[in-house]
């Protein structure tokens, strides 16, 4: 008998609860530029690429044509970058007593401004270069 893998009911069938999930309609790409009302759906502290402490936040747009789209924001907790962290926490109304509670961030609503950032990607196999656009969250304020 073959060994079982998590999520597999047998060697061929994968359990997947997709009830209530809308099938992808081909829409995608960057979130439209501008202000969006968002809700914090997750927040965790982890090291940045440089090894500095950082708050990583997943935001879900809750209103407008981009509703249900996800945004990701990263707030480094050292040096001058702490200004962005404080702006985020104040906009989320979660900065109290000289700090913040990670668990209290989930569900916080705020308004963020989305801009686009272009970057170059290179396919290492073909050396083909493409320009991609990512969402950049900035200028957080209270909802």
């Amino acid at each position: 008998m073959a060994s079982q893998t998590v999520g597999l009911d047998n060697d061929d069938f994968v359990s997947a609860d997709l009830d209530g999930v809308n099938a992808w309609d081909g829409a995608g790409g960057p979130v439209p530029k501008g202000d969006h009302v968002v809700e914090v759906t997750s927040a965790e502290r982890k090291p940045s690429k440089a090894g500095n402490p950082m708050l990583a936040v997943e935001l879900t747009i809750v209103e407008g044509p981009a509703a249900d789209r996800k945004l990701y924001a990263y707030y480094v907790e050292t040096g001058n970058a702490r200004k962005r962290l404080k702006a985020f926490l104040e906009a989320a109304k979660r900065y109290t007593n000289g700090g913040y509670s990670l668990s209290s961030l989930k569900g916080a609503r705020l308004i963020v401004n989305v801009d686009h950032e272009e970057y170059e990607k290179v396919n290492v196999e073909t050396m083909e270069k493409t320009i991609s656009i990512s969402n950049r969250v900035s200028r957080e304020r209270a909802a």
Side-chain angles (χ1 to χ4, degrees), residues 11-104:
D11 288 336
D12 186 50
F13 185 80
V14 178
S15 295
D17 181 6
L18 300 176
D19 294 339
V21 175
N22 293 326
W24 184 56
D25 62 2
V31 167
K33 289 182 180 182
D35 290 345
H36 297 276
V37 178
V38 298
E39 185 173 291
V40 176
T41 45
S42 71
E44 69 173 320
R45 287 186 78 220
K46 61 185 189 179
S48 69
K49 289 180 184 177
N52 296 315
M54 175 180 72
L55 176 64
V57 181
E58 179 186 82
L59 305 163
T60 301
I61 298 173
V62 294
E63 295 179 8
D68 297 326
R69 299 277 307 269
K70 303 285 186 192
L71 296 168
Y72 301 91
Y74 304 93
Y75 302 93
V76 177
E77 300 177 6
T78 58
N80 215 23
R82 295 180 306 159
K83 292 178 181 180
R84 280 199 65 229
L85 173 63
K86 187 169 185 183
F88 166 73
L89 293 172
E90 287 181 345
K93 300 176 185 167
R94 297 300 193 266
Y95 182 70
T96 57
N97 301 321
Y100 65 97
S101 161
L102 272 175
S103 61
S104 77

